[in-house]
Amino acid sequence: MRSGTLLRQFKAGDGTEVKLRTPRWEDLDDLLDFINGLVDEEAMIAVNQKHTRESETDWLARSLTNLEKDKHIAIVAEADGRVVGSCELNPRPGRMSHVASLGISVKDGYREKGIGQEMMRELEKQAPKLGLESIYLEVFSTNDRAIHVYRKMGYVETGRIPACIKYRGGYVDSVIMTKHLVV
Amino acid sequence: MTQRSLFRTFSSRDGAHVVLRGLRWGDLDDMLELHNELIEEETMIGGDKPMTRDQQVDRHAKMMKEAETGQTVCVIAEADGKLVGMTNARKRGGRLRHTAGLGVFVRRAYRDQGIGSEMMKELGIQAGKAGVEVLLLEVYSISPAVELYRRLGYTEYGRLPGIKYRDGYIDAVSIYKRVGG
């Protein structure tokens, strides 16, 4: 896919206008604020270190490279002129190249409005273009809100790695959830 | 030096409205076209092979990173909504960190209209702002650009004989210009 392609527009639960599109270079500073906001609030994601502008530049260059070469799918949600959500499908290598891991996060203040679900729907719509048949994700076992959404979206628990995550002084399981796409 | 920079506009000799600006991700495909056109017409540049789009994606990502961090200073010329030329100065390292290697490319249909010259003037200003003191460039001895560079104030400081071009050998002429300060 090309960088900056508009995929869809919709109104979120509270009426906010949201655009779903592929990321572009100009998102750099928004994406840096976004990831560092997640680190600050100790969001239940793997990343726990703030990015520098330089590391984010490397990350975005790699992401746009993979996007332009159809090696992964990346979608951002834009609202009020800012990036408020980001998600990716990263295909596994070799004999697993029909399977992709999903990563998704939504900015504080824009959650519980259905934006994440719309992003996931759009990822699933784009997935067959890369030959993907199956999507899996890992979620903190204590992230009830997210697990609820994933179940609703048709993901089922297919595995669990005990005490995989260190979070706020304790251990949390990592739950693996999978969805087979109807191709 | 970000890709959002707009430097200035001017009219080319045949009246085209030209915008000079920084490099953008969206220039990816235009840059590929430019490169492959230069290769096809055997322009006197270093490369001699056309690029695939995947190769260009890698090259463009690297250039965008360097433009974002200030390692490379880039001036793009846009006319008729298309990229028609680019020039860049890439900073060197260590004790040569005040120097930068320069490249300049103009699409065939837009040459001899003063666009390259305006791009290079702008690059001199922008590179100076970015801390570059000396711009270095190699040009093939038989290139029509030699005269342009001389008019822009570049001085010859060396010559490397024996560059293979078409059926014979030509010289690579090293030239430089002080900028900034």
Side-chain angles (χ1 to χ4, degrees), chain A residues 5-88:
Chain A
T5 307
L6 179 65
L7 300 166
R8 194 149 58 83
Q9 267 176 287
F10 65 93
K11 272 194 173 40
D14 65 346
T16 308
E17 278 289 345
V18 182
K19 277 183 201 165
L20 298 185
R21 58 168 173 80
T22 57
R24 52 185 188 218
W25 191 271
E26 292 76 8
D27 294 330
L28 178 63
D29 289 300
D30 268 8
L31 288 167
L32 180 60
D33 282 354
F34 179 46
I35 186 67
N36 286 342
L38 294 173
V39 172
D40 270 339
E41 59 160 316
E42 293 185 86
M44 286 184 259
I45 57 171
V47 181
N48 64 351
Q49 297 276 314
K50 284 202 181 187
H51 287 196
T52 62
R53 196 163 192 282
E54 203 171 336
S55 70
E56 191 67 8
T57 303
D58 283 345
W59 180 85
L60 181 60
R62 212 164 31 244
S63 176
L64 295 187
T65 299
N66 287 332
L67 178 75
E68 294 273 359
K69 291 183 179 179
D70 284 330
K71 288 192 171 166
H72 84 172
I73 299 171
I75 296 173
V76 297
E78 184 188 309
D80 304 321
R82 303 281 312 261
V83 172
V84 301
S86 169
C87 60
E88 277 187 22

Coordinates of all heavy atoms in Angstrom, one line a residue, chain A residues 5-88:
Chain A
T5 N -2.6 6.8 2.1 CA -3.8 6.4 1.4 C -5.0 6.5 2.3 O -5.0 5.9 3.4 CB -3.7 5.0 0.8 OG1 -2.5 4.9 0.0 CG2 -4.9 4.6 0.0
L6 N -6.0 7.3 2.0 CA -7.2 7.3 2.8 C -8.1 6.1 2.5 O -8.4 5.8 1.4 CB -8.0 8.6 2.4 CG -9.4 8.8 3.2 CD1 -9.1 9.0 4.7 CD2 -10.2 9.9 2.6
L7 N -8.4 5.4 3.6 CA -9.2 4.1 3.4 C -10.6 4.3 3.7 O -11.5 3.7 3.0 CB -8.6 3.0 4.4 CG -7.1 2.7 4.1 CD1 -6.5 1.9 5.3 CD2 -6.9 2.0 2.8
R8 N -11.0 5.0 4.7 CA -12.4 5.1 5.1 C -12.5 6.3 6.1 O -11.6 6.6 6.8 CB -12.8 3.8 5.8 CG -14.3 3.6 6.0 CD -14.6 2.1 5.9 NE -13.9 1.3 6.9 CZ -14.3 1.2 8.1 NH1 -15.4 1.8 8.6 NH2 -13.6 0.4 9.0
Q9 N -13.7 6.8 6.2 CA -14.1 7.8 7.2 C -15.3 7.4 7.9 O -16.2 6.8 7.3 CB -14.4 9.2 6.5 CG -13.2 10.1 6.4 CD -13.5 11.3 5.6 OE1 -13.6 11.3 4.4 NE2 -13.6 12.5 6.3
F10 N -15.4 7.7 9.2 CA -16.6 7.3 9.9 C -16.8 8.2 11.2 O -15.8 8.9 11.5 CB -16.6 5.8 10.4 CG -15.5 5.5 11.4 CD1 -15.7 5.6 12.7 CD2 -14.2 5.2 10.9 CE1 -14.7 5.3 13.6 CE2 -13.2 4.9 11.8 CZ -13.4 5.0 13.2
K11 N -18.0 8.2 11.8 CA -18.2 8.9 13.0 C -18.0 7.9 14.2 O -18.7 6.9 14.2 CB -19.6 9.5 13.0 CG -19.7 10.9 12.3 CD -21.1 11.5 12.7 CE -21.3 12.9 12.3 NZ -20.8 13.4 11.0
A12 N -17.2 8.3 15.2 CA -17.0 7.5 16.3 C -18.3 7.5 17.2 O -19.2 8.3 17.0 CB -15.8 7.9 17.1
G13 N -18.3 6.7 18.2 CA -19.5 6.6 19.1 C -20.0 8.0 19.6 O -21.2 8.2 19.8
D14 N -19.1 8.9 19.9 CA -19.5 10.2 20.4 C -19.6 11.3 19.3 O -19.7 12.5 19.6 CB -18.5 10.7 21.5 CG -17.1 10.9 20.9 OD1 -16.9 10.5 19.7 OD2 -16.3 11.6 21.6
G15 N -19.6 10.8 18.0 CA -19.8 11.8 16.9 C -18.5 12.3 16.4 O -18.5 13.0 15.3
T16 N -17.3 12.0 17.0 CA -16.0 12.5 16.5 C -15.8 11.9 15.1 O -16.0 10.7 14.8 CB -14.9 12.0 17.4 OG1 -15.2 12.4 18.7 CG2 -13.5 12.6 16.9
E17 N -15.4 12.8 14.1 CA -15.0 12.4 12.8 C -13.7 11.7 12.8 O -12.7 12.3 13.2 CB -15.0 13.6 11.8 CG -16.3 14.1 11.3 CD -16.9 13.1 10.3 OE1 -16.2 12.2 9.7 OE2 -18.2 13.3 10.0
V18 N -13.6 10.5 12.3 CA -12.4 9.7 12.3 C -12.0 9.3 10.8 O -12.9 8.9 10.1 CB -12.5 8.5 13.2 CG1 -11.1 7.7 13.2 CG2 -12.9 8.9 14.6
K19 N -10.7 9.5 10.5 CA -10.3 9.0 9.2 C -9.4 7.8 9.4 O -8.5 7.9 10.3 CB -9.4 10.1 8.5 CG -10.2 11.1 7.8 CD -9.2 12.1 7.1 CE -9.9 13.4 6.8 NZ -9.0 14.5 6.4
L20 N -9.5 6.8 8.7 CA -8.6 5.7 8.7 C -7.7 5.8 7.4 O -8.3 5.8 6.3 CB -9.3 4.3 8.7 CG -10.2 4.0 9.9 CD1 -10.7 2.6 9.9 CD2 -9.4 4.3 11.2
R21 N -6.4 5.8 7.6 CA -5.5 5.9 6.4 C -4.2 5.3 6.8 O -3.9 4.9 7.9 CB -5.3 7.4 6.1 CG -4.7 8.2 7.2 CD -4.3 9.6 6.7 NE -3.9 10.5 7.8 CZ -2.7 10.4 8.4 NH1 -1.8 9.5 8.1 NH2 -2.4 11.3 9.4
T22 N -3.4 5.1 5.8 CA -2.1 4.5 6.0 C -1.2 5.7 6.5 O -1.5 6.9 6.2 CB -1.4 3.9 4.7 OG1 -1.4 4.9 3.7 CG2 -2.2 2.7 4.2
P23 N -0.2 5.4 7.3 CA 0.6 6.5 7.9 C 1.4 7.2 6.8 O 1.6 6.7 5.7 CB 1.6 5.7 8.9 CG 1.5 4.3 8.5 CD 0.2 4.1 7.8
R24 N 1.9 8.4 7.2 CA 2.7 9.2 6.3 C 3.9 9.8 7.1 O 3.8 9.8 8.3 CB 1.9 10.2 5.6 CG 1.1 11.1 6.5 CD 0.2 12.1 5.7 NE -0.4 13.0 6.6 CZ -1.7 13.4 6.5 NH1 -2.4 13.0 5.5 NH2 -2.2 14.3 7.3
W25 N 4.9 10.3 6.4 CA 6.1 10.8 7.1 C 5.7 11.9 8.0 O 6.2 12.1 9.1 CB 7.1 11.2 6.1 CG 8.4 11.5 6.8 CD1 8.8 12.7 7.3 CD2 9.4 10.6 7.1 NE1 10.0 12.5 7.9 CE2 10.4 11.2 7.8 CE3 9.6 9.2 6.8 CZ2 11.6 10.6 8.2 CZ3 10.8 8.6 7.2 CH2 11.8 9.3 7.9
E26 N 4.7 12.8 7.6 CA 4.3 13.9 8.4 C 3.7 13.5 9.8 O 3.5 14.4 10.6 CB 3.4 14.8 7.6 CG 4.0 15.5 6.4 CD 4.2 14.6 5.2 OE1 3.8 13.4 5.2 OE2 4.9 15.0 4.2
D27 N 3.4 12.3 10.0 CA 2.8 11.8 11.3 C 3.9 11.7 12.3 O 3.6 11.4 13.5 CB 2.2 10.4 11.1 CG 0.9 10.5 10.2 OD1 0.3 11.5 10.2 OD2 0.6 9.5 9.5
L28 N 5.2 11.9 11.9 CA 6.3 11.6 12.8 C 6.1 12.1 14.2 O 6.2 11.4 15.2 CB 7.6 12.1 12.2 CG 8.9 12.0 13.0 CD1 9.2 10.5 13.3 CD2 10.0 12.7 12.3
D29 N 5.8 13.4 14.4 CA 5.8 14.0 15.7 C 4.5 13.6 16.5 O 4.6 13.4 17.7 CB 5.8 15.5 15.6 CG 7.3 16.0 15.2 OD1 8.2 15.7 16.0 OD2 7.4 16.6 14.2
D30 N 3.4 13.4 15.7 CA 2.2 12.8 16.4 C 2.5 11.4 16.9 O 2.0 11.1 18.0 CB 1.1 12.7 15.3 CG 0.2 14.0 15.3 OD1 0.6 14.9 16.0 OD2 -0.8 13.9 14.6
L31 N 3.1 10.6 16.1 CA 3.4 9.2 16.5 C 4.3 9.2 17.7 O 4.2 8.3 18.6 CB 4.0 8.4 15.4 CG 3.0 8.1 14.2 CD1 3.7 7.6 13.0 CD2 1.9 7.1 14.7
L32 N 5.3 10.1 17.7 CA 6.2 10.2 18.9 C 5.4 10.5 20.1 O 5.6 9.9 21.2 CB 7.3 11.2 18.6 CG 8.4 11.4 19.6 CD1 9.1 10.2 20.0 CD2 9.3 12.5 19.2
D33 N 4.6 11.6 20.1 CA 3.7 11.9 21.2 C 2.9 10.8 21.7 O 2.7 10.5 22.8 CB 2.8 13.1 20.8 CG 3.5 14.4 20.8 OD1 4.7 14.5 21.2 OD2 2.9 15.4 20.4
F34 N 2.3 10.1 20.7 CA 1.4 9.0 20.9 C 2.1 7.9 21.7 O 1.6 7.5 22.8 CB 0.8 8.5 19.6 CG -0.1 7.4 19.6 CD1 -1.2 7.4 20.5 CD2 0.0 6.3 18.7 CE1 -2.1 6.3 20.6 CE2 -0.9 5.3 18.8 CZ -1.9 5.3 19.7
I35 N 3.2 7.4 21.2 CA 3.8 6.3 21.9 C 4.3 6.7 23.2 O 4.2 5.9 24.2 CB 5.0 5.6 21.0 CG1 5.5 4.4 21.6 CG2 6.1 6.6 20.7 CD1 4.6 3.2 21.7
N36 N 4.9 7.9 23.4 CA 5.4 8.3 24.7 C 4.2 8.6 25.7 O 4.4 8.4 26.9 CB 6.3 9.6 24.5 CG 7.6 9.2 23.9 OD1 8.0 8.0 23.9 ND2 8.3 10.2 23.4
G37 N 3.1 9.0 25.2 CA 1.9 9.1 26.0 C 1.5 7.7 26.6 O 1.2 7.6 27.8
L38 N 1.6 6.7 25.7 CA 1.3 5.3 26.2 C 2.3 4.9 27.2 O 1.9 4.2 28.2 CB 1.3 4.4 25.0 CG 0.2 4.6 23.9 CD1 0.4 3.7 22.7 CD2 -1.2 4.4 24.5
V39 N 3.5 5.2 27.0 CA 4.6 4.8 28.0 C 4.3 5.5 29.4 O 4.3 4.9 30.4 CB 6.0 5.1 27.5 CG1 7.0 4.9 28.6 CG2 6.3 4.2 26.3
D40 N 4.0 6.8 29.3 CA 3.7 7.6 30.5 C 2.6 7.1 31.3 O 2.6 7.0 32.5 CB 3.3 9.1 30.1 CG 4.6 10.0 30.0 OD1 5.6 9.6 30.6 OD2 4.5 11.0 29.3
E41 N 1.5 6.7 30.6 CA 0.3 6.2 31.4 C 0.5 4.7 31.7 O -0.5 4.1 32.2 CB -1.0 6.4 30.6 CG -1.0 5.8 29.2 CD -2.4 5.6 28.7 OE1 -3.3 5.2 29.4 OE2 -2.6 5.9 27.5
E42 N 1.6 4.1 31.5 CA 1.9 2.7 31.7 C 0.7 1.8 31.1 O 0.2 0.9 31.7 CB 1.9 2.3 33.2 CG 3.2 2.9 33.9 CD 3.3 2.5 35.3 OE1 3.9 1.4 35.5 OE2 2.8 3.2 36.2
A43 N 0.5 2.1 29.8 CA -0.5 1.4 29.1 C -0.1 -0.1 29.0 O 1.1 -0.4 29.0 CB -0.7 1.9 27.7
M44 N -1.1 -1.0 28.9 CA -0.7 -2.4 28.8 C -0.3 -2.9 27.5 O -0.9 -3.6 26.7 CB -1.9 -3.2 29.3 CG -2.1 -3.1 30.8 SD -3.4 -4.1 31.5 CE -4.7 -2.9 31.6
I45 N 0.9 -2.4 27.1 CA 1.6 -2.8 25.9 C 3.0 -3.2 26.2 O 3.5 -2.9 27.3 CB 1.6 -1.6 24.8 CG1 2.3 -0.4 25.4 CG2 0.2 -1.3 24.3 CD1 2.5 0.7 24.4
A46 N 3.7 -3.8 25.3 CA 5.0 -4.3 25.5 C 6.0 -3.2 25.8 O 6.9 -3.3 26.6 CB 5.5 -5.2 24.4
V47 N 5.9 -2.1 25.0 CA 6.8 -1.0 25.1 C 6.8 -0.3 26.5 O 5.7 0.1 26.9 CB 6.5 0.1 24.0 CG1 7.5 1.2 24.1 CG2 6.5 -0.5 22.6
N48 N 7.9 -0.1 27.1 CA 8.0 0.5 28.4 C 9.0 1.6 28.5 O 9.2 2.2 29.5 CB 8.2 -0.5 29.6 CG 9.5 -1.1 29.5 OD1 10.2 -1.0 28.5 ND2 9.9 -1.9 30.5
Q49 N 9.7 1.9 27.3 CA 10.7 2.9 27.3 C 10.2 4.0 26.3 O 9.7 3.7 25.2 CB 12.0 2.4 26.8 CG 12.6 1.3 27.6 CD 13.4 1.9 28.8 OE1 14.2 2.8 28.6 NE2 13.2 1.4 30.0
K50 N 10.4 5.3 26.7 CA 10.1 6.4 25.7 C 11.0 6.3 24.5 O 12.1 5.9 24.6 CB 10.2 7.7 26.4 CG 9.1 8.0 27.4 CD 9.0 9.5 27.6 CE 7.9 9.7 28.6 NZ 7.6 11.1 28.8
H51 N 10.4 6.7 23.4 CA 11.1 6.8 22.2 C 11.8 8.2 22.1 O 11.2 9.2 22.6 CB 10.2 6.6 20.9 CG 9.8 5.2 20.7 ND1 9.3 4.8 19.6 CD2 9.8 4.1 21.5 CE1 8.9 3.5 19.6 NE2 9.3 3.1 20.9
T52 N 12.9 8.3 21.4 CA 13.5 9.6 21.1 C 13.0 10.0 19.7 O 12.5 9.1 19.0 CB 15.0 9.6 21.1 OG1 15.4 8.7 20.0 CG2 15.6 9.1 22.4
R53 N 13.2 11.2 19.3 CA 12.7 11.6 18.0 C 13.5 10.8 17.0 O 13.0 10.4 15.9 CB 12.9 13.1 17.8 CG 12.1 13.6 16.5 CD 12.0 15.1 16.6 NE 11.0 15.5 15.6 CZ 11.3 15.6 14.3 NH1 12.5 15.3 13.8 NH2 10.4 16.0 13.4
E54 N 14.8 10.5 17.3 CA 15.6 9.8 16.4 C 15.2 8.3 16.2 O 15.1 7.8 15.1 CB 17.1 9.9 16.8 CG 18.1 9.7 15.7 CD 19.5 9.9 16.1 OE1 19.7 10.7 17.1 OE2 20.4 9.4 15.4
S55 N 14.9 7.7 17.4 CA 14.5 6.3 17.3 C 13.1 6.2 16.6 O 12.8 5.2 15.9 CB 14.5 5.7 18.7 OG 13.4 6.2 19.5
E56 N 12.3 7.2 16.8 CA 11.0 7.2 16.2 C 11.1 7.4 14.6 O 10.4 6.8 13.8 CB 10.1 8.3 16.8 CG 8.6 8.2 16.3 CD 7.9 7.0 16.9 OE1 8.4 6.3 17.7 OE2 6.7 6.8 16.4
T57 N 12.1 8.2 14.3 CA 12.4 8.4 12.8 C 12.8 7.1 12.2 O 12.3 6.8 11.1 CB 13.5 9.5 12.6 OG1 13.1 10.7 13.3 CG2 13.8 9.8 11.2
D58 N 13.7 6.3 12.8 CA 14.1 5.0 12.3 C 12.8 4.1 12.2 O 12.7 3.4 11.2 CB 15.1 4.4 13.3 CG 16.5 4.9 13.1 OD1 16.7 5.6 12.1 OD2 17.3 4.7 14.0
W59 N 12.0 4.1 13.3 CA 10.9 3.3 13.3 C 9.9 3.6 12.2 O 9.4 2.7 11.5 CB 10.2 3.4 14.7 CG 9.0 2.5 14.8 CD1 8.9 1.2 15.2 CD2 7.6 2.9 14.5 NE1 7.6 0.8 15.2 CE2 6.8 1.8 14.7 CE3 7.0 4.1 14.1 CZ2 5.4 1.8 14.5 CZ3 5.6 4.1 13.9 CH2 4.9 2.9 14.1
L60 N 9.6 4.9 12.0 CA 8.7 5.3 10.9 C 9.3 5.0 9.6 O 8.5 4.5 8.7 CB 8.4 6.8 11.1 CG 7.4 7.3 10.1 CD1 6.0 6.6 10.2 CD2 7.2 8.8 10.2
A61 N 10.5 5.2 9.4 CA 11.2 4.9 8.1 C 11.0 3.4 7.8 O 10.7 3.0 6.6 CB 12.6 5.3 8.1
R62 N 11.2 2.5 8.8 CA 11.1 1.1 8.6 C 9.6 0.7 8.3 O 9.3 -0.1 7.4 CB 11.6 0.4 9.8 CG 12.2 -1.0 9.5 CD 13.0 -1.5 10.7 NE 12.6 -1.2 12.0 CZ 13.3 -0.5 12.9 NH1 14.5 0.0 12.5 NH2 12.8 -0.2 14.1
S63 N 8.7 1.4 9.0 CA 7.3 1.1 8.9 C 6.8 1.5 7.5 O 6.1 0.7 6.8 CB 6.5 1.8 10.0 OG 5.1 1.6 9.8
L64 N 7.2 2.7 7.0 CA 6.7 3.1 5.7 C 7.4 2.3 4.6 O 6.8 2.0 3.6 CB 7.0 4.6 5.5 CG 6.3 5.6 6.4 CD1 6.6 7.0 5.9 CD2 4.8 5.4 6.4
T65 N 8.6 1.8 4.8 CA 9.3 1.0 3.9 C 8.5 -0.4 3.7 O 8.2 -0.8 2.6 CB 10.7 0.7 4.3 OG1 11.5 1.9 4.4 CG2 11.5 -0.3 3.4
N66 N 8.2 -1.0 4.9 CA 7.4 -2.2 4.8 C 6.0 -2.0 4.2 O 5.5 -2.9 3.5 CB 7.2 -2.8 6.2 CG 8.5 -3.4 6.7 OD1 9.4 -3.8 6.0 ND2 8.7 -3.4 8.1
L67 N 5.4 -0.9 4.5 CA 4.1 -0.6 3.9 C 4.2 -0.5 2.4 O 3.4 -1.1 1.6 CB 3.6 0.8 4.5 CG 2.3 1.3 4.0 CD1 1.1 0.5 4.6 CD2 2.1 2.8 4.3
E68 N 5.1 0.3 1.9 CA 5.3 0.5 0.4 C 5.6 -0.8 -0.3 O 5.3 -0.9 -1.5 CB 6.4 1.6 0.1 CG 6.0 3.0 0.6 CD 5.2 3.8 -0.4 OE1 4.9 3.3 -1.5 OE2 4.8 5.0 0.0
K69 N 6.3 -1.7 0.4 CA 6.7 -2.9 -0.2 C 5.7 -4.0 0.0 O 6.0 -5.2 -0.3 CB 8.1 -3.4 0.3 CG 9.3 -2.6 -0.1 CD 10.5 -3.2 0.5 CE 11.8 -2.4 0.2 NZ 13.0 -3.1 0.8
D70 N 4.6 -3.7 0.6 CA 3.5 -4.7 0.9 C 4.1 -5.8 1.8 O 3.7 -6.9 1.6 CB 2.9 -5.2 -0.3 CG 1.9 -4.2 -1.0 OD1 1.3 -3.4 -0.2 OD2 1.7 -4.3 -2.2
K71 N 5.0 -5.4 2.7 CA 5.5 -6.4 3.6 C 4.7 -6.4 5.0 O 4.9 -7.3 5.8 CB 7.0 -6.2 3.9 CG 7.8 -6.6 2.7 CD 9.2 -6.7 3.0 CE 10.0 -7.3 1.8 NZ 11.4 -7.1 1.9
H72 N 4.0 -5.4 5.2 CA 3.0 -5.3 6.3 C 1.9 -4.4 6.0 O 1.9 -3.7 5.0 CB 3.8 -5.0 7.6 CG 4.0 -3.6 7.9 ND1 4.5 -3.1 9.1 CD2 3.8 -2.4 7.2 CE1 4.6 -1.8 9.1 NE2 4.2 -1.4 7.9
I73 N 0.9 -4.3 6.9 CA -0.1 -3.4 6.8 C -0.1 -2.5 8.0 O 0.0 -3.0 9.1 CB -1.5 -4.1 6.7 CG1 -1.5 -5.0 5.5 CG2 -2.7 -3.1 6.6 CD1 -2.7 -5.9 5.4
A74 N -0.2 -1.2 7.8 CA -0.2 -0.2 8.9 C -1.3 0.7 8.7 O -1.5 1.2 7.5 CB 1.1 0.5 9.1
I75 N -2.1 1.0 9.7 CA -3.2 2.0 9.6 C -3.2 2.9 10.8 O -3.0 2.4 11.9 CB -4.6 1.2 9.5 CG1 -4.6 0.4 8.2 CG2 -5.8 2.2 9.5 CD1 -5.9 -0.5 8.1
V76 N -3.4 4.2 10.6 CA -3.6 5.1 11.7 C -5.0 5.6 11.6 O -5.7 5.7 10.6 CB -2.6 6.2 11.7 CG1 -1.2 5.7 11.9 CG2 -2.7 7.1 10.5
A77 N -5.5 6.0 12.8 CA -6.8 6.7 12.9 C -6.5 8.2 13.2 O -5.7 8.5 14.1 CB -7.6 6.1 14.1
E78 N -7.1 9.1 12.4 CA -6.9 10.5 12.6 C -8.2 11.2 13.0 O -9.2 10.9 12.4 CB -6.4 11.1 11.3 CG -6.0 12.6 11.4 CD -5.7 13.2 10.0 OE1 -4.9 12.6 9.2 OE2 -6.3 14.2 9.7
A79 N -8.1 11.9 14.1 CA -9.3 12.7 14.6 C -8.8 14.0 15.1 O -7.7 14.1 15.7 CB -10.0 11.9 15.7
D80 N -9.6 15.1 14.9 CA -9.2 16.4 15.4 C -7.8 16.8 14.8 O -7.0 17.4 15.5 CB -9.2 16.5 16.9 CG -10.6 16.1 17.5 OD1 -11.6 16.5 16.8 OD2 -10.6 15.5 18.5
G81 N -7.4 16.3 13.6 CA -6.2 16.6 13.0 C -4.9 16.0 13.6 O -3.8 16.3 13.3
R82 N -5.2 15.0 14.5 CA -4.0 14.3 15.1 C -4.2 12.8 15.0 O -5.3 12.3 14.7 CB -4.0 14.6 16.7 CG -3.9 16.0 17.1 CD -2.5 16.6 16.9 NE -1.4 15.8 17.5 CZ -0.9 16.0 18.7 NH1 -1.3 17.0 19.5 NH2 0.2 15.3 19.1
V83 N -3.1 12.1 15.1 CA -3.1 10.6 15.1 C -3.6 10.2 16.5 O -3.0 10.5 17.5 CB -1.7 10.0 14.8 CG1 -1.8 8.5 15.0 CG2 -1.3 10.3 13.4
V84 N -4.7 9.4 16.5 CA -5.2 9.0 17.8 C -5.3 7.5 18.0 O -5.7 7.0 19.0 CB -6.7 9.6 18.1 CG1 -6.6 11.1 18.0 CG2 -7.7 9.1 17.1
G85 N -4.8 6.8 16.9 CA -4.8 5.4 17.0 C -3.9 4.8 16.0 O -3.6 5.5 14.9
S86 N -3.3 3.7 16.3 CA -2.3 3.1 15.3 C -2.4 1.6 15.4 O -2.6 1.0 16.5 CB -0.9 3.6 15.7 OG 0.0 2.8 15.0
C87 N -2.4 0.9 14.3 CA -2.4 -0.6 14.3 C -1.6 -1.1 13.1 O -1.4 -0.4 12.1 CB -3.8 -1.1 14.3 SG -4.7 -0.6 12.8
E88 N -1.2 -2.4 13.3 CA -0.3 -3.0 12.3 C -0.6 -4.5 12.2 O -1.0 -5.1 13.2 CB 1.2 -2.9 12.7 CG 1.8 -1.6 12.4 CD 3.3 -1.7 12.7 OE1 3.9 -2.8 12.7 OE2 3.9 -0.6 12.8

